[in-house]
Amino acid sequence: MSVVETVLGPVAAAELGEVDAHEHVFLRTPVNPGDEFLDTDRAAAELLRVAASGIRTVVDLTPVGLGRRPSQLAEVARASALHIVAATGYHRSAHYPAAHWARHADDATLLDVLVDDLQVGMDSHDWDFPRPVPSPHKAGIIKLGASYHRIDRHEERWFAAGAAAARQTGVAVAVHTEVGTAAHAALDLLDKHGVPAGRVLLAHTDRNPDPELHLDLIARGAHLVYDTIGRIKYRPDSVVLDLIERMAEAGKLGHVCLGTDVGRKSSLIAYGGGPGMDVLGRDFVPRLRRRLGAAAVDTVLRHAPQALLAKTTSAL
């Protein structure tokens, strides 16, 4: 049986239902000062809206040091009746100040942090204190980050640690691509460290809506997540619909996932903002169903993310 680790324990991949493959339930980062969202009650209210929109699983791609709250994640999962798959890993270097320990830790420590989150339980203090306090809630995916058009020297070390943790535990790797750039470089680096493209989810590729590039990435085996749904400042959602249709015409829809990637409290209805984390199920999925039909919706919301999230049965 293919299994996915959620914050409330292992779940059969087929039981995940419809998956929002890129979200942040809690987040705090120096990249967006003053736009953090850490309130448990408001997170629960937002996820209740997500559940009402037809989504059954949320993949929370908040990595180490950016406001992860494992016990509260579990609380919100129970309150909303959603499966939540949490992340460990390291974001692009812009998210970590110069003095942050992740920039200076040795390779063994970088790896140990990730493996502990995946196999023991995420640190209750999100590794902000010198003595870890493991929670009973495990991460189920690794998140890494690349800079704009490049992978810097810190990110290279974090990619190496993330790849080693993926090989040991069998979980998938999600990669932040800044405006959809450096995607091939990320696949090259992960492949160098023993993680094949078929175990990689490339985020934000819809922010570079280049169908030829996307097909090239898929040809290598990668999954793409179109995850700026409802974020009209980047481009209208019709562009994403066009991309999905192009992938479907090429027979590659099984490599496409969807998400909303809300990264600011000003985008959350629970904080008085918008479009809300439920915009995927509420607005976008009905449009996709009208354009391509129910089978296409099932592919991008169920089959593709479930296959990616399932742990491999042995280390890579």
Side-chain angles (χ1 to χ4, degrees):
M1 180 179 67
S2 298
V3 171
V4 178
E5 193 69 49
T6 78
V7 295
L8 297 182
V11 172
E15 295 180 7
L16 294 180
E18 294 79 6
V19 178
D20 177 337
H22 189 173
E23 283 303 344
H24 300 281
V25 179
F26 302 107
L27 186 66
R28 179 186 62 242
T29 171
V31 170
N32 298 323
D35 229 344
E36 65 277 353
F37 44 100
L38 299 169
D39 184 272
T40 305
D41 290 339
R42 290 184 180 184
E46 197 75 25
L47 287 185
L48 282 169
R49 297 179 64 91
V50 172
S53 77
I55 299 297
R56 293 292 168 259
T57 296
V58 165
V59 182
D60 182 342
L61 290 182
T62 305
V64 166
L66 299 188
R68 294 184 313 165
R69 308 181 74 199
S71 296
Q72 289 79 6
L73 270 181
E75 182 181 340
V76 169
R78 294 188 187 98
S80 63
L82 288 172
H83 299 300
I84 298 178
V85 180
T88 187
Y90 306 103
H91 213 314
R92 65 188 176 99
S93 58
H95 289 272
Y96 300 105
H100 195 278
W101 62 262
R103 291 176 174 265
H104 309 288
D106 59 41
D107 293 345
T109 299
L110 292 174
L111 174 58
D112 285 347
V113 164
L114 306 188
V115 174
D116 281 356
D117 278 352
L118 292 161
Q119 294 188 331
V120 178
M122 291 179 286
D123 175 43
S124 296
H125 300 302
D126 196 17
W127 301 100
D128 280 345
F129 291 88
R131 180 171 295 176
V133 180
S135 75
H137 311 296
K138 297 177 183 177
I141 191 169
I142 293 165
K143 164 76 171 286
L144 302 169
S147 293
Y148 182 59
H149 280 298
R150 69 191 185 98
I151 300 173
D152 74 21
R153 62 185 180 88
H154 298 292
E155 293 157 2
E156 286 183 355
R157 296 183 62 227
W158 299 334
F159 266 69
R167 294 197 311 271
Q168 288 187 33
T169 63
V171 302
V173 176
V175 176
H176 167 97
T177 66
E178 186 71 1
V179 200
T181 64
H184 279 297
L187 294 180
D188 290 343
L189 186 54
L190 288 170
D191 182 68
K192 173 185 173 181
H193 290 294
V195 176
R199 297 298 296 153
V200 180
L201 179 68
L202 296 170
H204 310 315
T205 43
D206 56 325
R207 289 189 63 187
N208 181 13
D210 180 339
E212 286 78 17
L213 170 64
H214 295 191
L215 289 170
D216 285 345
L217 295 167
I218 289 172
R220 298 184 64 171
H223 282 67
L224 314 181
V225 55
Y226 296 158
D227 53 16
T228 47
I229 305 301
R231 313 264 286 286
I232 308 305
K233 65 181 181 179
Y234 296 127
R235 36 97 202 104
D237 282 347
S238 60
V239 173
V240 184
L241 289 167
D242 291 342
L243 281 171
I244 295 171
E245 186 167 16
R246 180 70 179 274
M247 299 305 110
E249 290 170 348
K252 302 300 182 182
L253 204 55
H255 286 259
V256 175
C257 305
L258 298 179
T260 307
D261 181 29
V262 170
R264 297 173 180 268
K265 71 179 180 183
S266 54
S267 296
L268 295 166
I269 291 172
Y271 288 85
M277 198 182 290
D278 64 335
V279 68
L280 173 61
R282 184 191 74 220
D283 294 344
F284 188 82
V285 169
R287 292 182 65 180
L288 177 59
R289 186 177 291 111
R290 287 195 300 270
R291 185 183 290 208
L292 293 182
V297 171
D298 281 346
T299 297
V300 296
L301 287 187
R302 295 171 64 92
H303 306 313
Q306 289 173 12
L308 177 81
L309 291 169
K311 290 184 183 179
T312 55
T313 56
S314 60
L316 294 168

